[in-house]
Amino acid sequence: MTTAMSTDQIAGTTRVLIIEDDPSIAEAVRRVVAKQNGTGVVASDGRNGLRNFFEERPDLVVLDIGLPEMDGWQVLERIRDLSEVPVLILTARDLEQDKVRGLTAGADDYLTKPFGVQELGARIQALLRRSQTAVSTPAAEPPSVYRDGNLEVDWPAREVRVDGEVVGLTKLEFQLLQTFVRHPGQALATQQLLEQVWNDPFGIGPERVKFTVLRLRRKLGWHDEYKDVLEAIRGYGYRYTPVGDRITPAE
Ligand code: CA
């Protein structure tokens, strides 16, 4: 019997990394993924999870928080340094502060144990759909190379350099930088950034923007004397002021 492609199916090549030390939960998640036609790979501690992440390049990560070796928070931080892969946190704790911490640390969704397999399946599908639309958003490239202070962005090559050194940005970090550079000196609302960069005006919330901005600042060295280059506007959003446009006090 052939199975028609239905709404509860994901692409057959979809790989989901499951980082979970409880074998029965890991197996339950793996079955949910398999039922949807994807492939689930299980890692039972944080360190192996991270290793698997780099080897497997999964399309989605289901991440437990209480893990041996390296906990889920540390794993999430390492993943977010390099990738915008959707991350769904699974945890036994139903604490509001944990939920907030998870989302601010760059998780895309949060599910408390015990959870229903249907709910898990629906969340996985929603995350995959969202990441596919966000990445495929077409963006017209400004021409050639943009230079400001020690920053250099080669648009066609999608390469960012600071003081001549290449800086690795994730797709979203790159798109965020591109959006700022196209609107120099303009205050951009967080909502606007969610729409333009994340293609998600309602889902994930402003904390995602805040933490991506923090990572971008850190990677580009926009702290200390450059901290105002990408400025947070309280209760509104962010403004990029090119280094060349700033008035630097004489030494
Ligand atoms: Ca656990």
Side-chain angles (χ1 to χ4, degrees):
M1 193 186 110
T2 46
T3 313
M5 192 74 176
S6 68
T7 49
D8 62 353
Q9 298 288 293
I10 52 181
T13 51
T14 302
R15 283 179 304 177
V16 177
L17 175 60
I18 303 151
I19 311 177
E20 167 63 76
D21 61 326
D22 181 327
S24 60
I25 294 175
E27 178 55 20
V29 177
R30 202 194 57 75
R31 275 202 298 259
V32 167
V33 173
K35 201 169 170 236
Q36 293 180 353
N37 210 25
T39 305
V41 176
V42 176
S44 57
D45 67 66
R47 210 171 292 283
N48 271 313
L50 212 49
R51 190 174 305 134
N52 266 316
F53 176 76
F54 293 114
E55 285 167 5
E56 297 283 331
R57 306 243 156 214
D59 302 289
L60 181 123
V61 178
V62 176
L63 177 65
D64 181 28
I65 289 302
L67 285 170
E69 296 293 319
M70 183 187 257
D71 73 19
W73 301 125
Q74 293 171 288
V75 173
L76 179 58
E77 199 184 319
R78 299 285 298 277
I79 289 177
R80 277 291 169 261
D81 272 343
L82 294 154
S83 164
E84 296 290 349
V85 66
V87 175
L88 170 66
I89 284 184
L90 284 186
T91 174
R93 294 186 289 186
D94 186 18
L95 294 173
E96 186 63 20
Q97 71 186 67
D98 265 9
K99 181 176 176 176
V100 170
R101 182 175 174 187
L103 297 176
T104 55
D108 301 86
D109 203 356
Y110 183 100
L111 204 52
T112 306
K113 300 173 195 173
F115 51 84
V117 289
Q118 282 187 340
E119 179 166 21
L120 175 65
R123 302 281 188 101
I124 286 175
Q125 281 176 41
L127 287 176
L128 287 168
R129 260 199 310 273
R130 208 150 80 194
S131 72
Q132 278 151 13
T133 16
V135 167
S136 65
T137 303
E141 307 280 353
S144 65
V145 178
Y146 173 80
R147 286 187 184 83
D148 177 42
N150 58 354
L151 172 73
E152 215 173 70
V153 187
D154 183 335
W155 301 113
R158 294 183 90 83
E159 194 170 270
V160 177
R161 291 182 288 268
V162 174
D163 288 324
E165 298 279 324
V166 174
V167 176
L169 296 186
T170 64
K171 276 188 187 122
L172 282 177
E173 287 161 0
F174 187 85
Q175 285 172 11
L176 187 62
L177 175 64
Q178 190 174 44
T179 306
F180 283 127
V181 165
R182 282 178 181 171
H183 302 92
Q186 276 182 41
L188 299 178
T190 301
Q191 196 65 22
Q192 190 182 346
L193 293 169
L194 278 171
E195 282 173 26
Q196 290 187 2
V197 180
W198 277 261
N199 192 26
D200 182 16
F202 308 112
I204 50 182
E207 295 296 336
R208 228 22 237 287
V209 179
K210 179 174 160 189
F211 280 79
T212 309
V213 164
L214 288 179
R215 282 196 302 275
L216 191 60
R217 271 196 191 134
R218 197 183 65 208
K219 287 184 176 181
L220 299 182
W222 285 344
H223 42 68
D224 305 330
E225 78 265 41
Y226 289 129
K227 67 179 189 300
D228 294 337
V229 175
L230 194 47
E231 176 193 0
I233 304 165
R234 204 184 175 82
Y236 185 76
Y238 297 89
R239 176 169 45 219
Y240 162 68
T241 307
V243 176
D245 294 353
R246 291 166 78 240
I247 299 159
T248 317
E251 291 191 28

